[in-house]
Structure formats: structure tokens, C-alpha cells
């Protein structure tokens, strides 16, 4: 196996990689992303319980809103973390950055699990939770981009989308584990035990991944493409944010479009769905958690399959038909569930959404890294990915919950998905980068003179 580099003379000097080196790089890249998603999903699943523990106000609507706002704040700071950490990864390497990120993520997860409730330490409790979310938001701001860069830079020729899809597969594994853990806790513990200590167990278990992840990441070799770039330049790549926006602004807008509809779908159907099922459909939480666990199983198979299809036919050529189908299906799917809310209909809708999401998002890491050269790849992916996930994903539960409370309409999630899908189509179609990659699926960006 060997890595593919940007076109140029340095590609001829690319080192050969052993199978064990590639496997170690894949594991090192995906383990932190899995921890990130495990924590995020657990927070969403236990939003009602967390609201009771940390935000015990008289209005249940206000309590949930404060909990979701704390959830959202982790996303608000993600673009800042993405720019800072992405620039660090582009300058000093992927391996060093990933090692530091896993420590910070594990620490913030542990803080969530150990913080006493409002009844014990008063206002300090929600403030500590807020700090934990901010720390996590800053760390995960650079996690996806740096890990995706590492994966695709280790990928052999013609398999970048497939290798990148393992980043999404780690989310599916986290989805399966977090939903299974939540299902067991909610069905085996009494409500009092769940509030007292049960909800903390997943956060504490998640924090245990940190030391293992650090060890694995510390042992992995640096990305071969980054090593070749440093060798060719003779110094660390450097580029100002202003120069990046001027030279890569079109690619960044295209990347936001790629991610927007997938982020909205992911967070609504996986993170927000348990709360929606409880509060809007008045069904037990386990009705959503069972479907979410099965969704994780589907994603584990579906994401790599989507990556293979994207390598074969062109990821940007598949993007438009899949997104259009989802836009057309979103409203009928929600309307069907709302017409007669039952656990069976919720489960069926979750399966449909998961299949579409797998086809839509499996190639996302590869699609984003394909837009930027090695010297600015982590910065470009981090900035565009985090802006899109913050606006369309992280804010989705709060936005949808608030709109439902204001309008009284339970069909709001469908309209949210439709609008997100239309924005995605417009941004990708309007960008020169998107149109070029539809025509030439294997096109690669060239390094700028300022690198």
C-alpha cells in the first residue's frame, strides 16, 4: 500500500506503507471522533435528566431549552477551535495534534460525569457543565478535520472516499454504543436511580477511552503527505487566514454545502429524536433508543459502502441525486409518523433516514479533504465543517425545539431538513469547486505559492 500525494515531483518519493501502519493510522484517526459522538449523543439522550439535575427551573420548557442551549454552546465555539487547531495541524503535523485533542476531549467528558448537581453546589453546577461543553467544543473543532486529513493522506490511490468513510463509521459505532448503553440504563434502572447516578455512567465510561486513544495516537507515524510537503518546502507550511479565505473561500463554501444537509439530518434523527419522541410524540424513550441502536449497525455497513460507491462513480456526482431524494422524502416521512405515532412507525422512519444518511454522508470526509491541498487541509476542513455543523447540526435541537414551542407545529423538523437540503444544493452548485469536481471526480487542488 502506498499513499497518494498532490500532483508534483514529491509524489515520486512517497514512502511505502505497511498494512500495520495503515491500520494503526485508521484506528488513531477514528477513535477520537467516536468519543466525540458518544459524548454528544449521550448528552442528547439524557437531556431531560440533565435538565432536572443542572437546570431545575419551574418551567419544563425553559429547563429543556437551557439544557439544549448548553448543548449548542459547544458548537458555537467549534469554528474558533477549528481554525486554531486546524492551523496548528497544518503547521506542526496531524499526529501531534490528534494526541493532544484526545486528552482534552477525555478531560471534558470526565468533567461532565463528575460534576455535582444543582441541589449540591448550586449555580456552580450549570457553570461547570457549560465550561465542559466549551472545552469539548474547542477540542472537537479540530478533531474531525485533522483525523479526516490523516485518513485520506494515508489512503492508497482511488480509495480516499472509502478510507475517509471510516471517520463516519466511528460515528456509527458511537451511535450503537451510546444508544445501547442508554437503552440498558433507562430500562434497568428506576427513574430515581437514573437521575441520582445512572446518567453519569456513560460519561465516565467514555472518559476511559482517553488514555487508550492517547497511547494509540502517540505511536502512529506522521501523515506521509505532510512529511513529503515539509520535505519539499524545507519548513513548516504557513498561510494567514486572510490568504486562505481569498484563495480557498470558494472551496470552503462548497464544503459548507456538502455538510449542511447531512449535519441537519444526523443531529435531528439521532441526537434530537429521543427528546422529540418523548415530548412531542408522547412515546417512551426506549422507542427511539432501539431504533437509534439499529441505525448504528446500519451505518457501520452503510458508510463504507457509500465511500466505495463514491470512489467508483464520483462523490460529487452522487451528492445531488441523494440530496434531492431526501428533500422530497423529509415531509412525507414526518407526516406519516405524526399521523399515528407508534414505536413501529418511529422505528421504520429511523431506518429510512439512516439509509439515506449513510449514502449522503459516507463520503463526506473524503469530499472535504479533496477540496483543499495538504498545506491548508486541516484548516479548510475544520473551518467549513464546523461552521456547517454549528449552524445546521448543533443548533438544530435548540432551533427545532424552540420553533415547535412557538408555532405549536410538530412538523417543524421536516421543514428544517428541507431548507437545509436546499441550501446545500445551492452552495455546492454555485461554487466553482463543486462544479469542477462533478466534471472531474479525481481533481486535486494545487498548493499555493504562499505555503
Amino acid at each position: 500500500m502506498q499513499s497518494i500525494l498532490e500532483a508534483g515531483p514529491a509524489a515520486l518519493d512517497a514512502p511505502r506503507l505497511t498494512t500495520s501502519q495503515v491500520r494503526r493510522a485508521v484506528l488513531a484517526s477514528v477513535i477520537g471522533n467516536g468519543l466525540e459522538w458518544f459524548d454528544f449523543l449521550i448528552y442528547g439522550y439524557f437531556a431531560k435528566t440533565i435538565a432536572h439535575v443542572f437546570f431545575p427551573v419551574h418551567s419544563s420548557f425553559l429547563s429543556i431549552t437551557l439544557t439544549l442551549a448548553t448543548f449548542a454552546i459547544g458548537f458555537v465555539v467549534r469554528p474558533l477551535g477549528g481554525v486554531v487547531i486546524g492551523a496548528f495541524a497544518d503547521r506542526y503535523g496531524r499526529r501531534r495534534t490528534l494526541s493532544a485533542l484526545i486528552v482534552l476531549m477525555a478531560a471534558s467528558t470526565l468533567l461532565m460525569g463528575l460534576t455535582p448537581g444543582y441541589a449540591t453546589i448550586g449555580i456552580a453546577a450549570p457553570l461547570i457543565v457549560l465550561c465542559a461543553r466549551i472545552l469539548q467544543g474547542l477540542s472537537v473543532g479540530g478533531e474531525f478535520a485533522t483525523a479526516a486529513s490523516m485518513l485520506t493522506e494515508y489512503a492508497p490511490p482511488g480509495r480516499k472516499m472509502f478510507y475517509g468513510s471510516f471517520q463516519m463509521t466511528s460515528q456509527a459505532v458511537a451511535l450503537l454504543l451510546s444508544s445501547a448503553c442508554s437503552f440498558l440504563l433507562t430500562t434497568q434502572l428506576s427513574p430515581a436511580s437514573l437521575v441520582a447516578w445512572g446518567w453519569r455512567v456513560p460519561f465516565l465510561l467514555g472518559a476511559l477511552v482517553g488514555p487508550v486513544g492517547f497511547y494509540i495516537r502517540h505511536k502512529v507515524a506522521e501523515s506521509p503527505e505532510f512529511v513529503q510537503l515539509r520535505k519539499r518546502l524545507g519548513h513548516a507550511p504557513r498561510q494567514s487566514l486572510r490568504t486562505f479565505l481569498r484563495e480557498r473561500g470558494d472551496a470552503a463554501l462548497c464544503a459548507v454545502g456538502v455538510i449542511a444537509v447531512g449535519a441537519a439530518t444526523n443531529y435531528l434523527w439521532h441526537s434530537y429524536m429521543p427528546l422529540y419522541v418523548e415530548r412531542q410524540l408522547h412515546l417512551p424513550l426506549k422507542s427511539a433508543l432501539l431504533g437509534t441502536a439499529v441505525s448504528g449497525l446500519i451505518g457501520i455497513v452503510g458508510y463504507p459502502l457509500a465511500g466505495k460507491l463514491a470512489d467508483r462513480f464520483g462523490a460529487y456526482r452522487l451528492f445531488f441525486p441523494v440530496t434531492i431524494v431526501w428533500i422530497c422524502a423529509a415531509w412525507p416521512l414526518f407526516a406519516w409518523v405524526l399521523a399515528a405515532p407508534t414505536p413501529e412507525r418511529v422505528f421504520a422512519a429511523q431506518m429510512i433516514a439512516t439509509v439515506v444518511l449513510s449514502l449522503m454522508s459516507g463520503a463526506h470526509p473524503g469530499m472535504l479533504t479533496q477540496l483543499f491541498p495538504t498545506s491548508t487541509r486541516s484548516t479548510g476542513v475544520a473551518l467549513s465543517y464546523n461552521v456547517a455543523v454549528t449552524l445546521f447540526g448543533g443548533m438544530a435541537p435548540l432551533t427545532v425545539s424552540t420553533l415547535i414551542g412557538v408555532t405549536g407545529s410538530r412538523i417543524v423538523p421536516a421543514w428544517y431538513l428541507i431548507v437545509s437540503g436546499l441550501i446545500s444544493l445551492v452552495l455546492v452548485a454555485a461554487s466553482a469547486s463543486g462544479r469542477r469536481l462533478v466534471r472531474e471526480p479525481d481533481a486535486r487542488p494545487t498548493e499555493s505559492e504562499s505555503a
Side-chain angles (χ1 to χ4, degrees), residues 40-98:
F40 278 172
L41 291 167
I42 287 294
Y43 191 99
Y45 296 157
F46 289 110
K48 187 177 179 180
T49 303
I50 292 173
H52 179 79
V53 174
F54 295 107
F55 304 96
V57 298
H58 296 299
S59 167
S60 61
F61 172 74
L62 179 58
S63 180
I64 287 293
T65 300
L66 289 173
T67 304
L68 295 179
T70 305
F71 178 82
I73 196 68
F75 288 87
V76 173
V77 299
R78 282 178 68 156
L80 174 61
V83 170
V84 174
I85 295 170
F88 184 90
D90 282 334
R91 186 168 177 80
Y92 297 106
R94 320 310 191 200
R95 184 185 72 89
R96 185 186 299 182
T97 306
L98 289 173

Side-chain angles (χ1 to χ4, degrees), residues 362-379:
H364 277 175
M367 292 174 75
L368 265 59
T369 58
Q370 189 179 14
L371 289 166
F372 305 98
T374 306
S375 60
T376 59
R377 182 166 291 140
S378 285
T379 301

Side-chain angles (χ1 to χ4, degrees), residues 203-251:
F203 288 100
L204 299 177
L205 291 176
L208 295 177
V209 178
V212 178
F214 177 80
Y215 176 80
I216 294 173
R217 288 183 166 185
H218 187 68
K219 292 295 183 180
V220 76
E222 181 56 82
S223 153
E225 287 192 26
F226 184 83
V227 171
Q228 290 300 308
L229 178 65
R230 284 289 298 264
K231 182 178 179 181
R232 186 165 72 248
L233 293 177
H235 59 78
R238 50 180 177 266
Q239 187 175 65
S240 68
L241 181 60
R242 179 181 300 178
T243 301
F244 168 82
L245 292 175
R246 183 180 68 250
E247 296 182 354
R248 308 294 175 186
D250 177 82

Side-chain angles (χ1 to χ4, degrees), residues 167-397:
Q167 186 76 333
M168 305 306 298
T169 302
S170 72
Q171 295 183 9
V173 173
L175 179 64
L176 173 61
L177 295 178
S178 60
S179 56
C181 186
S182 302
F183 182 81
L184 288 174
L185 289 171
T186 54
T187 55
Q188 300 302 314
L189 295 180
S190 66
S193 296
L194 194 63
V195 171
W197 59 270
W199 69 271
R200 299 179 184 273
V201 172
F203 288 100
L204 299 177
L205 291 176
L208 295 177
V209 178
V212 178
F214 177 80
Y215 176 80
I216 294 173
R217 288 183 166 185
H218 187 68
K219 292 295 183 180
V220 76
E222 181 56 82
S223 153
E225 287 192 26
F226 184 83
V227 171
Q228 290 300 308
L229 178 65
R230 284 289 298 264
K231 182 178 179 181
R232 186 165 72 248
L233 293 177
H235 59 78
R238 50 180 177 266
Q239 187 175 65
S240 68
L241 181 60
R242 179 181 300 178
T243 301
F244 168 82
L245 292 175
R246 183 180 68 250
E247 296 182 354
R248 308 294 175 186
D250 177 82
L253 283 177
C254 179
V256 170
V258 168
I259 294 297
V261 64
T265 303
N266 211 346
Y267 281 84
L268 280 183
W269 278 101
H270 292 156
S271 184
Y272 177 67
M273 184 53 59
L275 184 62
Y276 182 82
V277 164
E278 272 195 309
R279 294 183 61 83
Q280 303 302 329
L281 304 184
H282 307 294
L283 296 172
L285 177 61
K286 63 182 181 181
S287 300
L289 293 178
L290 177 61
T292 304
V294 178
S295 295
L297 285 173
I298 294 175
I300 290 172
V301 177
Y303 288 131
L305 176 60
K308 282 182 173 291
L309 291 173
D311 279 325
R312 181 173 181 180
F313 299 106
Y316 283 84
R317 291 177 178 176
L318 294 175
F319 171 82
F320 289 96
V322 173
T323 303
I324 291 171
V325 167
W326 187 225
I327 289 173
C328 294
W331 194 93
L333 192 60
F334 267 98
W336 178 69
V337 173
L338 288 171
T342 63
E344 292 75 20
R345 288 201 176 197
V346 170
F347 182 85
Q350 285 177 295
M351 297 305 99
I352 295 171
T354 299
V355 170
V356 175
L357 180 63
S358 297
L359 292 173
M360 183 187 301
S361 302
H364 277 175
M367 292 174 75
L368 265 59
T369 58
Q370 189 179 14
L371 289 166
F372 305 98
T374 306
S375 60
T376 59
R377 182 166 291 140
S378 285
T379 301
V381 175
L383 179 62
S384 52
Y385 174 80
N386 286 301
V387 167
V389 170
T390 297
L391 295 179
F392 299 95
M395 299 298 293

Side-chain angles (χ1 to χ4, degrees), residues 110 140 192 243:
L110 183 63
V140 302
T243 301

